[in-house]
Amino acid sequence: MSAAEQNVLILPGDGIGPEIIEQAERVLRTVADKEQLNLNLDHALVGGAAIDATGGPLPAETLAKAKAADAVLLGAVGGPKWDGLEMARRPEKGLLGLRSELGLFGNLRPAILYPQLASASTLKPEVVAGLDLLIVRELTGGIYFGEPRGEHINANGEREGFNTYRYAESEIRRIGRVAFEAAQKRNKRLCSVDKANVLEVTVLWRNIMNDLAKEYPDVELSHLYVDNAAMQLVRAPKQFDVMVTGNMFGDILSDCAAMLTGSIGMLPSASLNENGQGMYEPIHGSAPDIAGTGKANPLATILSVAMMLRYSLDAATAAQRIEDAVSRVLDQGLRTADIASQGETAVSTQAMGDAVVAAL
Ligand code: IPM
Ligand code: MG
């Protein structure tokens, strides 16, 4: 008897989204076939694609399907075509709305350097060789969602923009727990990143992390201010095991960490809620400048499929198969433009997908 069917909702989005999703979906179908997983794949619109078709970035139908799914796989959203829209109607609101509506507060962003790509990083190979760090980013709070927000005319009659950086204790605690538990499964070192020398909200953040540390005596907790953390990430990134931080600092530091690994085109992510339901996406954006040229690296999305199998679909063996296949393809010397060193010929998005499917 086969296992109960699991529903995966696929949201290609904009820019390179559809191209990378196409390859990731082939990989998912191939591995599902080989591992006899009972998956039902469905598709829906989000971001600019949804704006064009329905007028809004997160149609009710997409949200309903996402809520009902066991996991969501997303490409990327946004592009110059929609940049002129007011904030509430932009493609990014589709993504932020999904994160918020599904309660996906725990964002895991691993940055692993594949030894085959040590020379693709702009940092010296000895600085990045062996890098394996995990950024745990709070994803549904902080300045991204804080109210009040907007633009008004201030007391001087000037236009003024404003956002609010706030975190409730419960929000800090639950992301802290995700991070401590992740550290327990790794090298048991956790660095919490804040700006407690300036921002009250992060003084609370730091105090709560210290509080939680008492419940995880096997994990060594340290703290860094975000400016120093950014510097340390490029100076000596291997000092880190797990980093935990708020929404905006996590956004910035994870792009920085991505470049340590050679290319943002390599990094997957998982965004989880309390029930283990998750959304999986590459950490890069929609790269409108290369959309349709076949240059995009599909590996971040393919590796996001692996995270989805592991964290939401209870298929760790299938996840491992994908990760091994990616490693083998890199061994074979296949490189998309973003990870090709000088003199190496770059392969297309499709050719990279073909190679991973073949390696499976
Ligand atoms: C990310 C992206 C998003 C973010 C954008 C597209 C809204 O940069 O997932 O890191 O800022 O969270
Ligand atoms: Mg980002």
Side-chain angles (χ1 to χ4, degrees):
M1 220 176 68
S2 65
E5 187 177 70
Q6 292 181 297
N7 292 305
V8 176
L9 180 66
I10 300 181
L11 306 173
D14 311 317
I16 59 171
E19 304 159 44
I20 53 179
I21 282 288
E22 185 187 335
Q23 301 311 319
E25 188 173 335
R26 288 174 64 211
V27 169
L28 177 59
R29 287 187 191 278
T30 307
V31 87
D33 195 42
K34 297 204 180 290
E35 293 285 324
Q36 300 185 339
L37 306 176
N38 189 1
L39 301 183
N40 172 43
L41 309 189
D42 194 4
H43 296 80
L45 296 170
V46 73
I51 295 174
D52 289 350
T54 72
L58 181 55
E61 189 195 342
T62 300
L63 183 58
K65 281 183 173 181
K67 283 186 171 163
D70 295 289
V72 179
L73 179 67
L74 183 132
V77 296
K81 181 175 175 192
W82 306 283
D83 278 350
L85 294 175
E86 57 172 314
M87 197 59 80
R89 296 189 49 231
R90 288 173 60 112
E92 288 79 359
K93 278 289 172 192
L95 177 58
L96 295 170
L98 279 168
R99 289 174 178 172
S100 170
E101 290 284 335
L102 299 179
L104 307 170
F105 69 92
N107 184 213
L108 309 181
R109 299 192 158 191
I112 293 167
L113 182 87
Y114 284 83
Q116 302 93 320
L117 297 183
S119 64
S121 175
T122 47
L123 276 82
K124 295 196 188 88
E126 64 268 27
V127 173
V128 292
L131 179 83
D132 178 355
L133 81 88
L134 174 67
I135 295 183
V136 178
R137 169 188 176 194
E138 200 292 325
L139 205 59
T140 53
I143 197 167
Y144 270 50
F145 291 93
E147 298 284 347
R149 63 190 297 157
E151 195 184 295
H152 65 181
I153 305 292
N154 72 11
N156 300 327
E158 242 196 308
R159 281 193 300 164
E160 183 177 71
F162 54 97
N163 289 90
T164 304
Y165 188 2
R166 59 197 312 156
Y167 267 122
E169 176 170 357
S170 57
E171 292 177 292
I172 303 173
R173 259 180 214 284
R174 66 181 182 178
I175 192 69
R177 287 193 192 288
V178 169
F180 274 102
E181 278 160 31
Q184 280 183 322
K185 293 187 195 127
R186 297 173 41 109
N187 291 325
K188 303 188 168 48
R189 284 182 296 115
L190 176 62
C191 178
S192 170
V193 177
D194 61 41
K195 190 71 187 174
N197 51 344
V198 179
L199 302 174
E200 285 82 355
V201 44
T202 69
V203 174
L204 179 67
W205 177 283
R206 187 177 283 222
N207 288 338
I208 289 173
M209 291 297 160
N210 281 331
D211 238 35
L212 279 177
K214 295 174 201 144
E215 294 174 42
Y216 302 90
D218 51 331
V219 175
E220 183 195 316
L221 174 69
S222 61
H223 304 274
L224 281 182
Y225 298 140
V226 63
D227 49 350
N228 189 12
M231 182 171 74
Q232 295 300 330
L233 262 182
V234 288
R235 190 186 73 85
K238 282 186 274 180
Q239 69 185 286
F240 297 113
D241 177 23
V242 180
M243 300 175 98
V244 62
T245 191
N247 207 341
M248 185 163 69
F249 296 161
D251 178 46
I252 299 166
L253 293 179
S254 60
D255 267 35
C256 180
M259 274 325 287
L260 305 172
T261 71
S263 170
I264 197 166
M266 292 299 298
L267 295 207
S269 78
S271 308
L272 304 169
N273 67 17
E274 312 265 10
N275 315 319
Q277 193 195 16
M279 182 159 79
Y280 299 81
E281 49 177 320
I283 84 156
H284 62 70
S286 59
D289 52 321
I290 60 164
T293 64
K295 281 194 192 144
N297 184 350
L299 292 180
T301 316
I302 289 170
L303 291 167
S304 299
V305 169
M307 288 188 95
M308 174 172 85
L309 289 162
R310 180 172 290 120
Y311 289 107
S312 289
L313 302 179
D314 195 23
T317 321
Q320 192 62 49
R321 269 179 101 138
I322 293 179
E323 287 159 355
D324 292 346
V326 166
S327 192
R328 229 169 301 131
V329 162
L330 294 174
D331 281 338
Q332 291 159 13
L334 270 90
R335 303 283 185 268
T336 42
D338 56 312
I339 50 174
S341 304
Q342 246 183 351
E344 280 177 337
T345 335
V347 303
S348 68
T349 311
Q350 161 101 41
M352 187 59 104
D354 288 345
V356 176
V357 167
L360 281 170

